[in-house]
């Protein structure tokens, strides 16, 4: 089966090469003559959106399988949180204070990666959004431990290059937020949420909703920084209003340090994590 797939891949590449070598005529120069799979303009048509969605789902899936990645530890958090050595460049004093969570993310990723390597390095691989801030800290800690880590980037108007700590062959780029989120959660054995902004809030509540509705199996769900999260979200008020159940508050746990997070993961219970 694998040999047949490789043979088909060679044929497609050969045809693409051969098609580019034909004499230039009005017919061969027409966009209609391009091979469909080699025609970027065609692939970007609105009608091809289902195909693009499938490709974005399939490409990372195949490459992660080829790299034997079986499960992940996902880190979400603010791109603007600076490393402690750069806290002087933070736009606000409170943002500078949050730099301690860069260190905690880095330390946590280092600990979890060392554990992963003891069992072959294919389970509980650190996975981030591949950008700066908390994401960089996670990939950095994994690299310092001598392991691989994943970066799931996305094209944005203010997009920056992937941070330099992502394992190159596990650095991905997405157009569709929905497919990117699927790849974040499909293999997640734990989800760690650090202080952040709109993007982090989106990832927090979408992940919690999937667990709350049992569309995703319960996993350790850790919010780093109790003071931050209790200030920006009135969790008891949500339960008191009846818009969520009291038991929904047990879907996650607050932690403040990397060591707290490791202990929480080791002692997690689906029934009563809180």
């Amino acid at each position: 089966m694998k040999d047949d797939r490789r043979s088909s891949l060679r044929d497609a590449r050969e045809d693409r090469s051969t098609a580019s070598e034909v004499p230039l005529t009005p017919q061969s120069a027409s966009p209609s003559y391009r091979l469909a799979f080699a025609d970027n303009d065609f692939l970007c048509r609105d009608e091809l959106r289902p195909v693009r969605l499938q490709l974005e789902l399939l490409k990372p899936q195949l490459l992660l399988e080829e790299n034997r990645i079986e499960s992940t530890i996902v880190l979400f958090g603010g791109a603007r949180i600076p490393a402690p050595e750069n806290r002087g460049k933070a736009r606000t004093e409170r943002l500078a204070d949050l730099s301690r969570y860069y260190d905690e993310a880095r330390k946590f990723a280092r600990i979890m990666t060392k554990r992963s390597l003891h069992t072959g390095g294919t389970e509980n691989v650190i996975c981030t959004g591949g950008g700066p801030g908390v994401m960089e800290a996670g990939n950095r800690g994994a690299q310092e431990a001598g392991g691989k880590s994943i970066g799931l980037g996305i094209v944005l108007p203010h997009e920056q290059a992937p941070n330099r700590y992502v394992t190159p062959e596990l650095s991905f780029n997405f157009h569709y937020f929905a497919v990117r989120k699927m790849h974040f959660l499909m293999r997640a054995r734990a989800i760690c949420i650090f202080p952040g902004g709109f993007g982090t809030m989106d990832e927090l509540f979408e992940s919690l909703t999937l667990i709350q509705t049992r569309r995703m199996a319960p996993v350790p769900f850790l919010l780093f920084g109790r003071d931050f999260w209790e200030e920006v979200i009135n969790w008891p008020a949500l339960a008191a209003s009846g818009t969520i159940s009291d038991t929904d508050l047990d879907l996650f746990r607050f932690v403040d340090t990397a060591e707290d997070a490791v202990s929480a993961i080791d002692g997690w219970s689906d029934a009563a994590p809180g």
Side-chain angles (χ1 to χ4, degrees), residues 205 208 212 221 223 226 230 233-254 268 270-274:
F205 283 112
L208 273 180
Q212 177 200 49
F221 201 107
L223 273 60
R226 176 187 290 270
E230 288 189 335
I233 300 172
N234 192 335
W235 303 97
L238 286 172
S241 69
T243 56
I244 65 171
S245 301
D246 289 339
T247 55
D248 289 334
L249 297 177
D250 292 331
L251 295 176
F252 58 89
R253 184 181 299 176
F254 297 108
W268 193 268
D270 291 347

Side-chain angles (χ1 to χ4, degrees), residues 137-209:
N139 297 120
R140 185 176 181 179
Q143 185 188 84
E144 289 169 344
K148 295 182 176 181
S149 69
I150 302 164
L152 304 180
I154 191 160
V155 178
L156 299 171
H158 49 80
E159 180 68 7
Q160 301 181 39
N163 72 68
R164 65 183 186 274
Y165 303 105
V166 178
T167 301
E169 61 269 26
L170 299 177
S171 180
F172 301 99
N173 201 16
F174 289 84
H175 171 70
Y176 295 106
F177 271 98
V179 179
R180 179 179 181 244
K181 288 177 181 176
M182 286 184 67
H183 277 294
F184 270 125
L185 300 179
M186 284 165 59
R187 302 163 196 83
R189 292 279 180 84
I191 298 172
C192 302
I193 314 285
F194 291 79
F198 288 161
T200 302
M201 299 287 182
D202 174 55
E203 291 151 345
L204 161 64
F205 283 112
E206 182 148 15
S207 303
L208 273 180
T209 300

Side-chain angles (χ1 to χ4, degrees), residues 109-158:
R110 189 164 56 240
I111 294 170
M112 297 307 294
T113 301
K114 286 180 179 178
R115 284 186 168 199
S116 174
L117 290 172
H118 286 155
T119 58
T122 64
E123 298 278 3
N124 296 337
V125 176
I126 295 297
C127 178
T128 81
V134 166
M135 296 172 280
E136 176 187 286
N139 297 120
R140 185 176 181 179
Q143 185 188 84
E144 289 169 344
K148 295 182 176 181
S149 69
I150 302 164
L152 304 180
I154 191 160
V155 178
L156 299 171
H158 49 80

Side-chain angles (χ1 to χ4, degrees), residues 50-93:
V51 176
R52 295 195 299 275
L53 285 162
Q54 185 178 19
L55 289 173
E56 284 212 341
L57 181 63
L58 190 58
K59 179 181 178 180
Q61 177 70 28
L62 292 176
L63 293 177
L64 288 168
E65 287 178 358
E66 289 170 7
N67 281 274
R68 300 176 55 242
I69 305 299
E70 297 178 18
S71 62
T72 59
I73 303 291
V74 176
L75 275 63
F76 293 128
R80 300 180 183 184
I81 292 179
E85 61 267 26
N86 295 324
R87 59 173 289 148
K89 300 177 182 179
R91 54 197 296 264
T92 68
E93 184 176 341

